[in-house]
């Protein structure tokens, strides 16, 4: 896992130091840029709370602050509060939750940071929940050990992203192990914090809010 974060942080520094015209003009990068990726060099830290709701009851919340420049993470949950280094030889068990929650909060940026995936594009596809005409961008992570360089955080898994005309995500489907079925959720309520945009609300096909991001702060 340490190798993943070393590569991941190197990619951030590479893009921060590169001229903006050198950013690849692929659809995944266009999605990242739609959320402000080309301004990421202005960001020192990102804080947010990840919340889960079932049957209109909040059942879980986790607070994170990712200190990008010094490669540390502040965590606060129902069990404990502490800070850890992403470059440490041994990472705490909560690091798995950090990875999961960061994909919900920052998936557009992961498209720029991650290297171990292929993608396919299909035009004029109806989104699974709202039936909106969209561009379907399928992200498929390579199979292999999670610690392998360039493998991303979810080896072998697939994400179907349904994009509007501005390359913003309106819905997505996560498919574990690139299986044929997945659970679609919406991407709603875009908020701007500093130079970045975040989607804060996710609903299931029944229209119930299942997950949301709150207390966002970008420095």
């Amino acid at each position: 896992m340490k190798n993943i974060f070393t590569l991941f942080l190197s990619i951030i520094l590479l893009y921060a130091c590169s001229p903006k015209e050198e950013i690849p003009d692929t659809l995944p990068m266009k999605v990242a840029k739609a959320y402000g990726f080309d301004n990421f060099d202005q960001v020192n830290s990102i804080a947010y709370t990840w919340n889960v709701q079932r049957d209109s009851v909040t059942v879980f919340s986790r607070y994170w602050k990712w200190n990008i420049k010094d490669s540390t993470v502040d965590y606060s949950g129902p069990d404990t509060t502490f800070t850890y280094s992403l470059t440490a030889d041994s990472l705490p068990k909560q690091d798995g939750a950090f990875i999961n929650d960061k994909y919900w909060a920052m998936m557009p940026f992961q498209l720029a940071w991650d290297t171990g995936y292929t993608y396919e594009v299909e035009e004029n596809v109806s989104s699974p929940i709202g039936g909106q005409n969209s561009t379907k961008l399928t992200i498929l992570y390579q199979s292999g050990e999670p610690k392998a360089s360039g493998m991303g955080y979810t080896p072998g898994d697939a994400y179907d992203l349904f994009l509007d005309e501005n390359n913003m995500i309106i819905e997505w489907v996560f498919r574990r192990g690139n299986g044929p079925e997945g659970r679609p959720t919406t991407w709603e309520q875009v908020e701007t914090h500093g130079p970045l945009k975040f989607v804060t609300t996710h609903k299931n096909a029944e229209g119930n809010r299942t997950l949301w991001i709150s207390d966002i702060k970008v420095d």
Side-chain angles (χ1 to χ4, degrees), residues 196-213:
L196 307 179
K197 294 179 180 179
F198 297 85
V199 171
T200 60
T201 300
H202 304 280
K203 297 179 181 178
N204 58 21
E206 293 72 32
N208 300 319
R209 185 175 71 168
T210 60
L211 189 150
W212 71 102
I213 309 298

Side-chain angles (χ1 to χ4, degrees), residues 67-138:
N67 305 295
I68 298 168
K69 302 301 183 182
D70 63 2
S71 305
T72 61
V73 172
D74 302 333
Y75 165 74
S76 181
D79 47 355
T80 186
T81 297
F82 62 90
T83 298
Y84 69 97
S85 172
L86 293 173
T87 59
D89 290 331
S90 178
L91 297 173
K93 65 179 182 179
Q94 288 83 358
D95 184 66
F98 171 65
I99 292 169
N100 174 80
D101 299 359
K102 186 158 62 64
Y103 266 74
W104 284 99
M106 297 180 234
M107 179 59 174
F109 306 131
Q110 296 292 158
L111 298 177
W113 297 327
D114 293 346
T115 61
Y117 68 81
T118 59
Y119 68 92
E120 297 178 357
V121 179
E122 186 178 356
E123 301 288 351
N124 299 315
V125 178
S126 294
S127 63
I129 296 178
Q132 295 177 250
N133 186 55
S134 65
T135 297
K136 180 182 177 182
L137 171 62
T138 295

Side-chain angles (χ1 to χ4, degrees), residues 43-50 62-68 73-74 98 105-106 191 193 196 198 213-219:
V43 177
N44 295 311
S45 66
I46 300 174
Y48 59 94
T49 300
W50 184 88
R62 292 189 285 243
Y63 169 83
W64 304 100
K65 183 179 180 183
W66 178 28
N67 305 295
I68 298 168
V73 172
D74 302 333
F98 171 65
M106 297 180 234
E191 294 183 5
H193 296 272
L196 307 179
F198 297 85
I213 309 298
S214 61
D215 308 318
I216 301 172
K217 185 176 180 181
V218 175
D219 291 324

Side-chain angles (χ1 to χ4, degrees), residues 124-196:
N124 299 315
V125 178
S126 294
S127 63
I129 296 178
Q132 295 177 250
N133 186 55
S134 65
T135 297
K136 180 182 177 182
L137 171 62
T138 295
I139 303 296
L140 175 59
Y141 283 89
Q142 299 171 11
S143 298
E145 293 295 327
K147 65 180 181 180
S149 179
M151 204 62 69
Y153 301 130
T154 53
D157 292 342
Y159 295 80
D160 298 321
L161 310 180
F162 297 85
L163 312 176
D164 66 13
E165 64 276 8
N166 298 312
N167 297 321
M168 304 286 283
I169 303 171
I170 55 175
E171 297 176 21
W172 82 349
V173 178
F174 168 72
R175 294 184 288 112
R176 186 174 299 280
N178 195 25
E181 302 294 332
R183 183 176 300 175
T185 56
T186 64
W187 279 57
E188 303 180 39
Q189 298 186 0
V190 178
E191 294 183 5
T192 299
H193 296 272
L196 307 179

